[in-house]
Amino acid sequence: MKTIWLAMFVVSSLLLIMVLLRNRLSWGWLRGFGLHLVLAAALLYVLNATEVIPGLHVPLNPITIGTVVALGVPGVALIVGLQWVVV
């Protein structure tokens, strides 16, 4: 049964990659997502390196970067607020 699920996953992944490569609109979306991802990681890194708020360290992990990618600058404020309130 695991072999069937693995085969379905591999085939569907290959078909998804084929659709993404064929469609020009997908390149723009992928490029924009990659740009947001890099900018979010850079923003969190700069926030940690400059220590704008003394004693604040926001970890660079997929959760924090994903939040900043999805929400932008309000995502940074959300993470900083959560860090300040919880820790």
Side-chain angles (χ1 to χ4, degrees), residues 1-17:
M1 189 59 134
K2 288 183 182 182
T3 307
I4 294 172
W5 284 110
L6 180 64
M8 286 176 46
F9 175 71
V10 169
V11 169
S12 63
S13 296
L14 290 174
L15 289 173
L16 177 62
I17 289 171

Side-chain angles (χ1 to χ4, degrees), residues 6 19 27 84 86:
L6 180 64
V19 167
W27 284 108
W84 184 59
V86 174

Side-chain angles (χ1 to χ4, degrees), residues 13-54:
S13 296
L14 290 174
L15 289 173
L16 177 62
I17 289 171
M18 185 179 73
V19 167
L20 287 174
L21 291 177
R22 282 186 27 197
N23 193 353
R24 288 268 185 209
L25 180 63
S26 298
W27 284 108
W29 177 81
L30 194 60
R31 188 178 316 123
F33 178 75
L35 180 65
H36 283 132
L37 186 71
V38 169
L39 289 175
L43 179 66
L44 288 176
Y45 179 76
V46 168
L47 182 69
N48 285 335
T50 60
E51 289 192 15
V52 176
I53 302 171

Side-chain angles (χ1 to χ4, degrees), residues 30-83:
L30 194 60
R31 188 178 316 123
F33 178 75
L35 180 65
H36 283 132
L37 186 71
V38 169
L39 289 175
L43 179 66
L44 288 176
Y45 179 76
V46 168
L47 182 69
N48 285 335
T50 60
E51 289 192 15
V52 176
I53 302 171
L56 178 75
H57 174 73
V58 178
L60 290 174
N61 59 35
I63 302 297
T64 57
I65 293 173
T67 303
V68 176
V69 167
L71 299 177
V73 175
V76 174
L78 172 74
I79 291 172
V80 169
L82 282 173
Q83 183 94 14

